[in-house]
Amino acid sequence: MTARVAIVGAAESDLGVTGKSILTLQSQAVTRALADAGLTLADVDGIATTGISRFSATQLADYFAIQPTWTDSTFAGGSAYEMMVARAAQAIQAGQATTIVISFASNQRSAKSRRLGGVHEPHIPEAQFEEPYDMLFPVSYYAMAAQQYLHKFGGTREQLAEIAVAAREWALLNPKAFRYGKGPITAEDVVTSAMISSPLTVADCCLVTDGGGAVVLTSLERARDLPRKPVEILGYGERTTNTSFTAVDDLTAPGAIGSGRDAFARAGITPADVDVLQVYDSFTITAALSVEALGFCGRGEVLGFIADGRIRPGGALPLNTSGGGLSYCHPGQYGILLLVEAVRQLRGESGDRQVEGASTAVAHGTGGILSTHATVVLGVDR
């Protein structure tokens, strides 16, 4: 029988504008997650991380003075941490490691290391077709996906803005959120804010903050002896679809369709069984496409589906209950914090934003320009 695997610890680093180094924030996230699990660095024999240096797992292991038996430095953008959950679970099941920490942190706001134009790589083949247009990376690409969706299926910018409006409502319930205490916003506020890349305005775009998080995985058998309620990994799936948009025929059909289908099949459930949903919201369109692609509604239906408060506090599909990348925190690769919030919801530790009776959660990461997609299904016994 294959060993079952669970998340037994979850924590954030300091968030916002911290003035701290990446390794300091990483250290905070990891040690806090281990403390949450009732474990220490001496228990860790597996590390999965990225974003520190060329050899991120090596860097972190050296910093912590440990010699892990297993590491992963998969770089896939915001979906990397959901991918790492799958690889870590498989490593534990194979006996390569017993206790694995997955972590990420960034000081991008304090270091002022992010720019609107993003990262350009003129040496890659598709650059000859894209560089002449001086695209903003990644926002202009996601804007094209939004344009295609609205053209193909109809709908309005105001309907798409519901993603940001709902995220703010959740953030107002989360004292750690960057936009906590800033007040609610309306669809009009979103569509009339400064245009960045049509049709996406600044309020359609994620925050730029410092921050990070970590989760700790071990076998479910061992987890039952630890202090926190174990959150079992029920299923996972991933897809890698494109480097650029040059050869993508349909920007409205992301790889989340396949990754979600595989994750739900492994878990033996359907979207109707999910109590709380955490999806990457680098932009409002990212979240909208993910909700639809994961099967929570039909093709072309998401803008109508999310109307009338469905994804807000008290709604039928609680979405991004921390406030998401749009209103809570976005340190550059947000996928780790999707997992942290999903774990807290399933353990009943989310305070005023707690979804009552939540026993099944999905965390779905998106990386690059709708390039990488990874879905994790989590559950607890009630």
Side-chain angles (χ1 to χ4, degrees), residues 229-244:
K229 179 193 294 287
V231 174
E232 187 174 359
I233 298 158
L234 302 179
Y236 46 77
E238 68 178 74
R239 288 292 188 280
T240 298
T241 54
N242 58 280
T243 303
S244 75

Side-chain angles (χ1 to χ4, degrees), residues 38-52:
L39 299 169
T40 70
L41 281 170
D43 297 298
V44 175
D45 54 7
I47 285 178
T49 191
T50 188
I52 303 172

Side-chain angles (χ1 to χ4, degrees), residues 105-123:
S106 164
N107 65 348
Q108 62 173 7
R109 188 170 182 119
S110 293
K112 299 181 180 179
S113 58
R114 188 130 186 162
R115 65 185 184 92
L116 182 60
V119 178
H120 288 257
E121 298 179 301
H123 60 282

Side-chain angles (χ1 to χ4, degrees), residues 2-186:
T2 303
R4 295 158 68 184
V5 177
I7 296 175
V8 294
E12 305 140 311
S13 69
D14 291 352
L15 308 175
V17 188
T18 66
K20 295 180 170 65
S21 71
I22 292 172
L23 279 170
T24 297
L25 295 172
Q26 278 265 17
S27 181
Q28 288 181 339
V30 170
T31 55
R32 289 172 186 177
L34 286 169
D36 183 62
L39 299 169
T40 70
L41 281 170
D43 297 298
V44 175
D45 54 7
I47 285 178
T49 191
T50 188
I52 303 172
S53 64
R54 287 179 62 206
F55 304 106
S56 292
T58 304
Q59 188 82 59
L60 195 60
D62 195 34
Y63 189 72
F64 287 145
I66 62 176
Q67 296 184 0
T69 60
W70 177 92
T71 64
D72 183 2
S73 294
T74 297
F75 183 77
S79 65
Y81 310 93
E82 283 66 42
M83 291 181 176
M84 288 171 176
V85 166
R87 289 147 175 67
Q90 292 158 2
I92 290 168
Q93 289 166 342
Q96 290 181 274
T98 63
T99 307
I100 295 176
V101 175
I102 301 172
S103 65
F104 172 77
S106 164
N107 65 348
Q108 62 173 7
R109 188 170 182 119
S110 293
K112 299 181 180 179
S113 58
R114 188 130 186 162
R115 65 185 184 92
L116 182 60
V119 178
H120 288 257
E121 298 179 301
H123 60 282
I124 58 179
E126 61 271 17
Q128 62 186 306
F129 304 109
E130 300 175 4
E131 289 289 316
Y133 297 97
D134 198 23
M135 304 279 282
L136 303 177
F137 187 99
V139 60
S140 293
Y141 296 85
Y142 281 89
M144 292 196 323
Q147 290 280 32
Q148 187 177 106
Y149 191 93
L150 295 175
H151 174 76
K152 186 171 185 174
F153 298 114
T156 66
R157 289 173 56 202
E158 286 78 8
Q159 286 179 296
L160 181 60
E162 174 64 15
I163 298 286
V165 173
R168 179 62 65 85
E169 289 204 7
W170 285 108
L172 295 177
L173 301 175
N174 183 1
K176 293 184 178 180
F178 197 72
R179 298 298 190 200
Y180 177 73
K182 301 296 184 182
I185 56 174
T186 65

Side-chain angles (χ1 to χ4, degrees), residues 138-151 153-154 156-157 159-164 190 197-201 203-206 245 251-254 256 279-293 302-303 306 319-320 326 364 366 369-370 373:
V139 60
S140 293
Y141 296 85
Y142 281 89
M144 292 196 323
Q147 290 280 32
Q148 187 177 106
Y149 191 93
L150 295 175
H151 174 76
F153 298 114
T156 66
R157 289 173 56 202
Q159 286 179 296
L160 181 60
E162 174 64 15
I163 298 286
V190 177
S197 191
S198 181
L200 302 180
T201 67
D204 285 293
C205 302
C206 64
F245 279 1
L251 302 178
T252 70
V279 304
Y280 208 101
D281 58 344
S282 47
F283 307 97
T284 49
I285 188 62
T286 320
L289 288 175
S290 297
V291 170
E292 183 173 299
V302 70
L303 297 183
I306 63 175
L319 177 72
N320 293 351
L326 291 165
H364 175 78
T366 305
I369 47 175
L370 294 173
H373 316 263

